[in-house]
Amino acid sequence: MKIIGIVGSLDEQKSYNEQLLNFIRTHFSSMFDLEIVDISQFPLFDPHNDITSTSEMKAHLSKLSGADGVIISTGEHSRSIPPVLKSYLEWVSYQVHPLENKPLMVIGASYLDQGTSSSQLHLRQVLEAPGVGAYVFPGNEFLLGEAREAFDDEGNLKDEATVKVLKGFLKKFQRFVRIINEVEAGDPEDEDLEATGTIATTIDVDKNSDHWVEEATEKVNPAQGDDYVLLDHGILTVNQISELLNSMPFEVTFADENNQFLYYNYNTPTEAMFAKRKPSQVGNPLATCHPPRARENVKKVVHLLRSGKTDCFRMPVPTHGPDKYVVHSYQRITDKDGNYRGINEYVMDLMPTINWYLKQTGQELIGGQPDAATSATAKERQDSNMTVETANPTDADTSASASIESTSETDADTGASQS
């Protein structure tokens, strides 16, 4: 679980709210991964000097959008929230709304014994206002008063009863985050693999037509040949774009957010492809592209990507022989504002790259000989991991994988590879 921690006060010498979040990050690291962000870098809110399109703010907003939940630790100024926090909340509710429907917990530390009770009450009102729209964790107020005496020299809370109360609140918040995200994410069963709906880019042509590309071309008269196309970081002709995509050392497939298969790069004959495609499939709904036995699991993978639970889902497919390690990667596609726009499935045999790397570095694979039936070593079958022997060996990141036709919902969660 990824949680963003926001220090809602500005104190360059010693922020007790920052100390509180640091204590949570270290003391409760087994519950979730807490990343504390600095909001002092953002200027006072000014709609005439919009910073929401700057690279710094875009990176921050993307971080907020990708988090499972948020914890704000606020100070108290004149029975209200500090100006730096109010200004920050204006920025994150102005053009974009990353806190909308986001589970959020409010805590606070203050010099006096009231422990930010007034500012927390005000902050809850702000967070639930239209434009911000967070799901604020109800009740369970954690008010750390007399903060100067609350921490020891190592930054730990001294009072065990206080730590116990905080742990109870955080465990409840953890469950709250899971419940809210499950409600907001919807159900994999809701995935419409038949692509019966329409989106802004849908072309009104029979999706199951064997000649969809030709019929769609007559309908919209797209740019072709040497027509120039303005891209975000360059200008290419249509031919150059096609040539660039066809030169990729892997197979690429694009399906839009309406679950319609719209493109694959045709850099090799169909019979030689790892994931065989044919021209008549372009334009089909995803349901048509998969056999009935696979569709429920396709829904689960698409749902993982659409809901943002993962950015990339990877699966090794061991049916191409012991000399290959073919991996299907399903990459989440978003627009510049982080909205889901579809899936880039790219398929690649990793063995040429692995062999080149081993030759260049003088290293070798360990873990036994490949099993001819599965193309996996005994160690791979145990933990789905290929380990490289080095002078200072470290455990490589493991990534469980499962066939898309047999993966359960639990498999899909563990098989997801976080980018």
Side-chain angles (χ1 to χ4, degrees), residues 282-392:
V282 178
N284 286 180
L286 288 184
T288 308
C289 300
H290 296 88
R293 67 180 183 276
R295 290 174 190 169
E296 287 304 309
N297 291 306
V298 174
K299 286 182 178 181
K300 292 174 184 176
V301 173
V302 174
H303 180 70
L304 281 172
L305 299 168
R306 185 187 301 276
S307 64
K309 289 184 177 180
T310 185
D311 288 329
C312 186
F313 180 88
R314 292 189 175 94
M315 296 188 314
V317 178
T319 57
H320 299 283
D323 60 330
K324 294 180 174 60
Y325 196 80
V326 177
V327 176
H328 290 235
S329 298
Y330 301 85
Q331 181 71 45
R332 185 175 193 258
I333 299 175
T334 62
D335 62 17
K336 61 182 179 60
D337 295 322
N339 299 308
Y340 176 75
R341 287 293 178 260
I343 299 172
N344 170 17
E345 178 190 358
Y346 53 99
V347 182
M348 187 176 186
D349 176 16
L350 297 184
M351 284 310 300
T353 302
I354 293 170
N355 289 333
W356 179 88
Y357 172 77
L358 296 176
K359 182 177 180 181
Q360 294 296 312
T361 61
Q363 300 176 89
E364 60 183 27
L365 295 179
I366 62 173
Q369 294 298 315
D371 184 324
T374 64
S375 183
T377 65
K379 180 172 178 57
E380 283 180 272
R381 292 194 301 275
Q382 179 179 347
D383 64 11
S384 300
N385 178 49
M386 298 186 75
T387 307
V388 176
E389 188 177 46
T390 63
N392 296 297

Side-chain angles (χ1 to χ4, degrees), residues 314 316 325 383-386 396-402 414-418:
R314 292 189 175 94
Y325 196 80
D383 64 11
S384 300
N385 178 49
M386 298 186 75
D397 292 333
T398 60
S399 58
S401 61
T414 59
S417 172
Q418 300 288 348

Side-chain angles (χ1 to χ4, degrees), residues 140-313:
N140 299 284
E141 292 182 321
F142 184 78
L143 310 168
L144 184 64
E146 300 179 347
R148 282 173 290 191
E149 307 298 327
F151 297 94
D152 62 21
D153 293 339
E154 282 74 43
N156 297 312
L157 288 172
K158 294 188 288 188
D159 183 57
E160 286 301 318
T162 301
V163 175
K164 185 177 180 180
V165 170
L166 178 59
K167 181 179 181 179
F169 288 174
L170 291 173
K171 289 181 72 173
K172 290 179 184 178
F173 179 63
Q174 189 181 36
R175 292 196 294 270
F176 179 75
V177 170
R178 289 199 181 102
I179 292 169
I180 293 299
N181 284 329
E182 184 177 340
V183 169
E184 287 299 316
D187 191 318
E189 288 300 314
D190 295 335
E191 284 295 338
D192 176 21
L193 297 188
E194 299 290 346
T196 56
T198 60
I199 56 176
T201 53
T202 298
I203 301 173
D204 186 18
V205 171
D206 178 11
K207 295 181 179 71
N208 288 302
S209 171
D210 288 345
H211 306 285
W212 184 89
V213 173
E214 292 79 8
E215 294 172 23
T217 297
E218 291 182 8
K219 197 88 174 179
V220 299
N221 191 28
Q224 300 183 56
D226 292 325
D227 288 353
Y228 287 103
V229 178
L230 175 62
L231 304 171
D232 55 356
H233 288 91
I235 298 175
L236 297 174
T237 66
V238 176
N239 284 338
Q240 287 173 326
I241 294 171
S242 293
E243 291 157 2
L244 173 65
L245 290 168
N246 288 338
S247 73
M248 296 295 178
F250 41 76
E251 299 164 16
V252 176
T253 298
F254 172 69
D256 67 12
E257 70 263 40
N258 196 39
N259 292 334
Q260 185 178 9
F261 169 33
L262 294 180
Y263 170 81
Y264 72 97
N265 62 338
Y266 195 67
N267 61 350
T268 187
T270 298
E271 59 273 12
M273 297 178 73
F274 296 124
K276 292 179 171 56
R277 318 290 189 202
K278 51 187 179 182
S280 61
Q281 288 180 303
V282 178
N284 286 180
L286 288 184
T288 308
C289 300
H290 296 88
R293 67 180 183 276
R295 290 174 190 169
E296 287 304 309
N297 291 306
V298 174
K299 286 182 178 181
K300 292 174 184 176
V301 173
V302 174
H303 180 70
L304 281 172
L305 299 168
R306 185 187 301 276
S307 64
K309 289 184 177 180
T310 185
D311 288 329
C312 186
F313 180 88

Side-chain angles (χ1 to χ4, degrees), residues 15 50 71 91 123 135-136 156 168 228 324:
S15 168
D50 186 8
I71 299 175
W91 281 127
L123 179 55
Y135 285 120
V136 184
N156 297 312
Y228 287 103
K324 294 180 174 60

